[in-house]
Amino acid sequence: MSFYYLNKEMGLALNDILGKVCSYDKDFSREDIAITWINYKSENKVVFKGFGCGINSKKVFYPASVVKLVYALATYYWIEKGRLLLSDEIIDAVKKMLAFSSNNATSFLVDLLTGTTSGPCIEGELWENWKYQRSIINDWLHDLNWEELIGINCCQKTWDDGPFGREKEFYGYENKNRNAMTTDSAARILEEIMIHIDYQKNNLNLRSYLKRNLNKVVLKNDPTNQIDGFLGAGLPESINFWSKAGLMSEVRHDAAWWTNSQSLQTLLVIFCNGEKYFKNSSFLPLLAKEVYEFNNRYVTAY
């Protein structure tokens, strides 16, 4: 059973929105794009099961830094189950991984979660044990029994320049063991972070690390912000907004949550595969703007 109800009207609207935005550039192709769009009714701080739609939402893409949502949630549950002890260093690392997309912090956390470390190539039993340990996060995802997570792969670190040594070897032939996610899987992870965790002082507040300021003056002073060129850039500055972007030479992604009104919240995940999207900073904001305007027009119908 899906974690959200399918909504036909939203599905028709999304097809129209994507067609409209793709018409602005002949190089844009629906086959390179995946979207999961979910709206949530809320009342008295209770958020109900969402309703929405998707396009290519079960298609696997390289997630870039969106995978950091998975590593953050894993860290939260490792602490919850006593596998890790909460410390100032872990808090700092998770905050930097989500808020600033630090690859160094991500590397540290993947080491902690799996009991592995980067380094030169190794062989034999040591190598087999290392690969087994590094797959622990995938095993945990499997044990969650969320159907949206079937077929994804979250076992690699994120890099500035790329992997070396055992990390490169672990990518496999033609990089077939690279991280892989769908927009549905990213949406399910983000939903868990946003509305299904009762945050306490003795654990990480993942939600707070994803909060973004959309004020253009603030953004101008932060060249590494995850708003310009992403979904938040298409939304009003005044709304409450949380997100985790992913960007590298082959992709431009974003996973976002925002509040439309006291009674309606939105989750939108968009993956774009191809250098043309990496170079284009207007595509994601345009899609977000169209989705936001649709929600404003039809909010009373929900």
Side-chain angles (χ1 to χ4, degrees), residues 21 27 58 92 94 124 144 160 166 184 186 203 216 231 246 281 285 294 298 300:
V21 176
D27 290 331
K58 293 176 174 56
D92 185 50
V94 174
L144 290 174
D160 293 324
R166 68 191 70 163
D184 268 2
N203 206 330
K216 288 181 171 52
L231 296 174
S281 61
F294 173 90
Y298 293 94
T300 55

Side-chain angles (χ1 to χ4, degrees), residues 40-43 48 51 259-265 299 302:
Y40 300 82
K41 290 181 180 178
S42 57
E43 184 177 344
F48 302 102
F51 50 98
T259 302
N260 298 277
S261 65
Q262 289 185 341
S263 61
L264 187 69
Q265 302 181 47
V299 66
Y302 296 144

Side-chain angles (χ1 to χ4, degrees), residues 7-267:
N7 184 285
K8 184 178 179 180
E9 186 177 16
M10 289 174 64
L12 293 172
L14 183 58
N15 271 300
D16 290 344
I17 288 169
L18 184 58
K20 177 181 178 181
V21 176
C22 283
S23 70
Y24 298 149
D25 191 318
K26 62 180 177 60
D27 290 331
F28 293 156
S29 168
R30 293 171 67 97
E31 296 306 308
D32 302 326
I33 301 161
I35 304 174
T36 299
W37 171 21
I38 309 170
N39 284 337
Y40 300 82
K41 290 181 180 178
S42 57
E43 184 177 344
N44 296 326
K45 296 185 178 180
V46 176
V47 181
F48 302 102
K49 182 172 178 177
F51 50 98
C53 59
I55 292 176
N56 296 328
S57 60
K58 293 176 174 56
K59 187 173 183 177
V60 173
F61 286 74
Y62 176 67
S65 287
V66 173
V67 76
K68 293 168 183 176
L69 292 171
V70 174
Y71 299 153
L73 187 62
T75 305
Y76 175 90
Y77 280 115
W78 261 237
I79 293 168
E80 193 79 359
K81 295 175 182 178
R83 296 178 185 174
L84 288 176
L85 294 177
L86 184 65
S87 67
D88 290 342
E89 188 173 39
I90 289 177
I91 293 171
D92 185 50
V94 174
K95 181 177 181 179
K96 287 178 177 175
M97 177 176 70
L98 294 180
F100 309 115
S101 207
S102 166
N103 289 334
N104 290 339
T106 305
S107 177
F108 169 73
L109 290 165
V110 171
D111 286 348
L112 278 184
L113 291 166
T114 64
T116 60
T117 57
S118 303
C121 292
I122 50 180
E123 298 179 349
E125 187 176 354
L126 282 175
W127 178 229
E128 294 306 313
N129 288 339
W130 190 96
K131 290 187 289 183
Y132 174 82
Q133 286 293 122
R134 181 54 76 81
S135 299
I136 282 175
I137 298 172
N138 278 334
D139 294 340
W140 165 69
L141 291 170
H142 178 267
D143 290 344
L144 290 174
N145 288 316
W146 298 346
E147 65 177 63
E148 299 79 24
L149 307 185
I150 295 173
I152 73 170
N153 184 44
C154 302
C155 62
Q156 304 286 2
K157 296 182 176 182
T158 53
W159 304 97
D160 293 324
D161 300 314
F164 296 90
R166 68 191 70 163
E167 298 284 356
K168 175 62 177 175
E169 188 172 350
F170 190 52
Y171 264 48
Y173 177 69
E174 294 184 342
N175 294 334
K176 291 190 181 297
N177 196 34
R178 284 208 310 180
N179 286 334
M181 293 181 71
T182 64
T183 55
D184 268 2
S185 65
R188 181 62 185 88
I189 295 291
L190 183 55
E191 182 189 274
E192 184 75 6
I193 290 171
M194 292 301 299
I195 63 174
H196 295 307
I197 295 176
D198 180 20
Y199 290 107
Q200 304 294 327
K201 289 184 178 180
N202 61 347
N203 206 330
L204 302 161
N205 191 330
L206 305 179
R207 180 182 170 120
S208 69
Y209 306 148
L210 295 170
K211 188 74 164 63
R212 309 287 173 194
N213 190 331
L214 300 185
N215 182 276
K216 288 181 171 52
V217 175
V218 173
L219 297 176
K220 189 174 182 180
N221 294 323
D222 179 14
T224 61
N225 73 72
Q226 296 176 65
I227 300 300
D228 290 333
F230 297 96
L231 296 174
L235 302 173
E237 294 182 21
S238 59
I239 68 169
N240 288 317
F241 184 81
W242 299 259
S243 72
K244 182 69 200 76
L247 183 69
M248 49 89 71
S249 60
E250 300 172 12
V251 304
R252 181 182 290 269
H253 306 326
D254 206 1
W257 183 290
W258 70 81
T259 302
N260 298 277
S261 65
Q262 289 185 341
S263 61
L264 187 69
Q265 302 181 47
T266 293
L267 189 164

